[in-house]
Amino acid sequence: MTRAVNRADLDEAHAEFYAAFEAGDFDRMSAVWADGPYAAGVSCVHPGWTMLRGRDEVLRSWALIMANTSYIQFVLTDVESDVYGDHAVVTCKENVLTADEETEAGFLAGGSIVATNVFVRADGEWRLLLHHGSPVLNGADAEEE
């Protein structure tokens, strides 16, 4: 029973990460990430970026991204999670739809990213320790492997 509760809490924390991003809500995004003794080890690789390390640096990147993203929506597929005591790994495919509402045509773009999200359970709550997103450059090639 405890394992099922932990898995449900993990699923909720994972979903909240994407919901915070879609909402462009920096406070919600900040609450998702680990802090305290884990703050220095918080890490993030946005697609095409170099590694960011440390809670402050990672959160600055999210503030910048959210300030420059007028619309984003995620449809997550292939979600797999594994719990190892107080650590968990969630992998998924992010099917992303973005729009630029500032252009006259309302530019719309889509793409796919494979993501690894590592969580740590701190004070009974799952908090994000690492997010690594890598673009899928050619969907046809990926499906052939």
Side-chain angles (χ1 to χ4, degrees):
M1 182 71 159
T2 301
R3 181 172 164 77
V5 170
N6 292 342
R7 187 66 56 120
D9 291 346
L10 175 62
D11 293 345
E12 185 177 313
H14 189 250
E16 177 60 13
F17 168 64
Y18 290 98
F21 190 10
E22 286 181 344
D25 188 326
F26 183 75
D27 291 335
R28 284 174 67 185
M29 180 61 76
S30 296
V32 168
W33 287 88
D35 57 8
Y38 300 101
V42 164
S43 302
C44 185
V45 178
H46 299 291
W49 292 35
T50 59
M51 171 75 73
L52 302 174
R53 189 156 173 86
R55 180 179 163 84
D56 291 343
E57 185 175 10
V58 168
L59 290 179
R60 271 193 297 276
S61 75
W62 286 107
L64 179 64
I65 290 169
M66 287 191 278
N68 291 289
T69 303
S70 58
Y71 175 82
I72 192 162
Q73 180 181 359
F74 293 91
V75 176
L76 303 181
T77 57
D78 304 322
V79 179
E80 299 285 339
S81 60
D82 296 293
V83 177
Y84 306 99
D86 286 334
H87 290 82
V89 177
V90 182
T91 57
C92 64
K93 183 176 179 185
E94 303 171 351
N95 301 286
V96 185
L97 184 63
T98 61
D100 180 0
E101 296 172 355
E102 295 180 11
T103 63
E104 188 175 318
F107 177 73
L108 194 62
S112 294
I113 298 165
V114 291
T116 302
N117 297 305
V118 177
F119 290 83
V120 61
R121 188 171 29 220
D123 298 324
E125 293 186 26
W126 289 109
R127 305 290 294 277
L128 193 56
L129 187 62
L130 165 77
H131 169 74
H132 186 157
S134 181
V136 177
L137 298 179
N138 184 336
D141 289 344
E143 289 178 16
E144 290 176 10
E145 293 178 9

